[in-house]
Each structure stands twice: as C-alpha cells, then as structure tokens.
Amino acid sequence: MASLIRSTVLRSSIWSRGLRTSAVCHASGPYSSSGGHVGDVGGKFKEREQAAEEAYFRKQTAEQLKALKEYMAQKKTSAEQIIKDHEEEIRKHKAAIDELHDDMSQVEKAHDEKSK
C-alpha cells in the first residue's frame, strides 16, 4: 500500500511539473524508434513518398502559376481599357480646347473690326 501511494505521489508530482516521462513518449534504447517519420524509413517506400511529394508540389506550383497568369491577363486587359478611356478623354479635351481657341479667334476678329 505504501509503495502504491509513493508511486501515485511521484507520478502526480512529475505530471504537475509538466514533465512527461514514459516509455511510450520518450523511448530510448535499442528497440525504440524515432517516432515513425517517413523520412527515416529507407528503401522504395521513401523514394515513392518523395516522388509523390515532389509531384504534388509541382502540380500545386503549376496551378498557382496558371492562376497568376490569368490574374495578370485580367489586369492587363483592365489597364488597356483604362488607357483607351483616358485617351478618349484626352481627345475630347483637345477638341474642346481647339474649339475655345477658334471662339477666341472669332472674338478677337470681331473686336478688331469694331475698333477700326
């Protein structure tokens, strides 16, 4: 009974300090594994896993590149439309300026004729 109480107290004090020491969590020794990482396993399985991972990232990169190209094409089309709109506005303003210059010339001619 005393040993059961001691082990319970010891276990609770270890857990209360945040230290987890168990054979499952921190195994060490000749029969322990490194946690089951795929990279630690050798042979054909590792090669197949690496090839699948590379293929996944190539596919993902290709999809991202395609999406980026589509986005840039939309931006280019939008920018070209804005340029066309601005060029049209510039043309209209130049026409209005030319019209004002013509009106000024007519007013000056009329004024010169009256002053003579």
Side-chain angles (χ1 to χ4, degrees):
M1 182 73 176
S3 69
L4 179 63
I5 292 173
R6 262 188 266 133
S7 69
T8 305
V9 170
L10 178 62
R11 213 177 295 133
S12 66
S13 68
I14 289 172
W15 281 102
S16 68
R17 289 189 205 129
L19 303 173
R20 288 192 251 172
T21 55
S22 69
V24 175
C25 293
H26 299 286
S28 62
Y31 302 109
S32 67
S33 69
S34 62
H37 295 285
V38 173
D40 296 337
V41 178
K44 295 290 182 183
F45 182 74
K46 180 179 179 180
E47 291 174 13
R48 186 173 26 161
E49 187 65 28
Q50 286 176 342
E53 186 175 330
E54 288 174 11
Y56 169 77
F57 284 111
R58 274 195 307 271
K59 181 181 175 186
Q60 188 177 25
T61 302
E63 289 173 359
Q64 289 174 346
L65 184 59
K66 181 182 175 185
L68 180 62
K69 285 180 179 180
E70 290 173 359
Y71 173 76
M72 293 307 295
Q74 289 174 351
K75 286 296 229 180
K76 181 181 176 186
T77 303
S78 175
E80 288 171 346
Q81 184 60 44
I82 290 171
I83 289 170
K84 286 179 184 177
D85 292 345
H86 285 183
E87 287 174 343
E88 178 64 24
E89 288 297 316
I90 289 170
R91 189 191 62 72
K92 287 179 183 178
H93 285 283
K94 283 184 178 180
I97 289 171
D98 290 342
E99 193 175 314
L100 288 173
H101 282 294
D102 291 343
D103 289 346
M104 284 283 287
S105 297
Q106 289 176 0
V107 168
E108 287 175 353
K109 280 183 185 178
H111 181 17
D112 288 341
E113 289 177 3
K114 285 184 180 181
S115 58
K116 286 184 183 180

